[in-house]
């Protein structure tokens, strides 16, 4: 079977890592917007966490993916934003640690 | 003839990774879409793909809705549709109820991804479910 050039894969993973600050920006914006307590903004926050959990895990950033997935599960289960705050903050902190400075 | 794949995910990095794997390992022709309207436009305007990889959560209509719409259309009733999602058991049930052929959970392993796709396509061609 053919193989994928490891350098090419490293480049794709690197692109994802380089984009992490943008992901942090999206999550912070969705978090802030969700505080208007409207269903669409809460849904947007949940979707943002879901996307981040899936992609970060795929690209090896488990420290980002795990709190994002836990926050998504909490919100899907009907928890308040207050209850999800710690996990969202943990996600943002993990992104800050993983992202290039 | 090359395998034609439509990869639909609102995360462009996932699309890039999947496209790269399928192009390099299967010589596939891969189109990408990032929302339901882009999926429908691609299907209407291009040749029918051999496989649709579909994310659940996308802006606007979600993957379940897209899948139901396609299954109701005779042209796409038998199109293999594989959900790519960070899924729960309930989400998997919902995907199969919408007409999914198979589900690949995120995160997916780079080594397992293409062999899994090959098994799904083989099973689909023989009428099985993966």
């Amino acid at each position: 079977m053919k193989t994928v050039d490891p350098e090419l894969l490293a480049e794709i993973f690197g692109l994802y890592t380089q984009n992490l600050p943008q992901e942090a920006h999206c999550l912070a914006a969705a978090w802030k917007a969700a505080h208007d307590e409207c269903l669409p903004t809460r849904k947007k926050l949940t979707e943002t966490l879901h996307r981040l959990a899936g992609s970060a895990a795929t690209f090896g950033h488990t420290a980002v993916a795990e709190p994002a997935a836990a926050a998504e599960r909490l919100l899907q289960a009907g928890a308040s934003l207050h209850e999800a705050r710690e996990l969202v903050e943990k996600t943002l902190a993990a992104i800050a640690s993983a992202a290039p400075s | 003839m090359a395998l034609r794949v439509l990869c639909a995910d609102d995360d462009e990095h996932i699309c890039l990774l999947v496209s790269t794997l399928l192009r390099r390992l299967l010589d596939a022709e891969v189109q990408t879409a990032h929302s339901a309207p882009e999926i429908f436009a691609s299907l209407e305007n291009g040749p029918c793909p051999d496989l649709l990889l579909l994310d659940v959560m996308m802006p606007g209509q979600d993957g379940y809705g897209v899948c139901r719409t396609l299954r109701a259309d005779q042209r796409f009733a038998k199109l293999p549709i594989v959900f790519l999602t960070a899924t729960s058991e309930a989400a998997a049930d919902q995907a199969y109820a919408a007409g999914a052929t198979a589900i690949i959970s995120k995160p997916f392993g780079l080594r397992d991804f293409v062999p899994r796709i090959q098994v799904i396509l083989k099973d689909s061609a023989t009428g099985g479910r993966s």
Side-chain angles (χ1 to χ4, degrees):
Chain A
M1 188 169 173
K2 294 179 187 177
T3 57
V4 180
D5 181 358
E7 285 182 13
L8 178 61
L9 284 179
E11 191 181 326
I12 296 171
F13 275 56
L15 285 173
Y16 182 80
T17 303
Q18 280 174 30
N19 191 58
L20 278 173
Q22 180 61 27
E23 296 289 350
H25 176 76
C26 288
L27 177 56
W31 173 250
K32 188 177 175 190
H35 283 76
D36 68 3
E37 297 184 358
C38 288
L39 274 180
T41 55
R42 185 183 166 103
K43 184 169 179 275
K44 173 74 178 168
L45 173 62
T46 309
E47 287 172 354
T48 303
L49 287 162
H50 176 88
R51 185 171 51 79
L52 188 55
S55 62
T58 298
F59 288 101
H61 291 287
T62 51
V64 175
E66 285 173 0
E72 182 206 352
R73 282 195 299 272
L74 209 55
L75 291 171
Q76 292 276 27
S80 68
L81 292 180
H82 177 72
E83 288 169 299
R85 172 182 292 279
E86 190 180 332
L87 286 166
V88 172
E89 287 176 349
K90 199 172 172 183
T91 306
L92 288 167
I95 293 174
S97 294
S101 51
Chain B
M1 199 163 74
L3 177 74
R4 283 195 298 260
V5 180
L6 175 59
C7 176
D9 196 307
D10 64 337
D11 190 313
E12 62 185 285
H13 296 93
I14 294 288
C15 282
L16 178 61
L17 178 63
V18 167
S19 302
T20 301
L21 291 171
L22 293 172
R23 284 180 182 134
R24 297 293 173 121
L25 300 181
L26 294 180
D27 293 323
E29 291 174 6
V30 187
Q31 301 290 320
T32 58
H34 305 292
S35 65
E38 284 185 30
I39 295 168
F40 294 130
S42 179
L43 291 171
E44 287 297 333
N45 300 326
C48 186
D50 302 301
L51 172 69
L52 170 60
L53 295 172
L54 184 58
D55 187 23
V56 170
M57 282 196 185
M58 290 181 295
Q61 190 176 20
D62 64 22
Y64 306 126
V66 170
C67 192
R68 278 192 295 272
T69 302
L70 293 177
R71 289 303 186 221
D73 186 326
Q74 194 58 37
R75 293 172 297 168
F76 308 116
K78 292 187 176 174
L79 170 66
I81 299 176
V82 177
F83 276 77
L84 268 185
T85 185
T87 185
S88 63
E89 213 167 287
D93 289 345
Q94 212 174 334
Y96 284 122
T101 307
I103 295 169
I104 295 180
S105 298
K106 293 178 192 170
F108 49 82
L110 298 186
R111 286 188 183 149
D112 302 336
F113 180 74
V114 168
R116 176 98 172 98
I117 291 291
Q118 289 176 305
V119 168
I120 291 166
L121 286 171
K122 192 177 167 191
D123 286 353
S124 179
T126 56
R129 192 172 96 171
S130 299

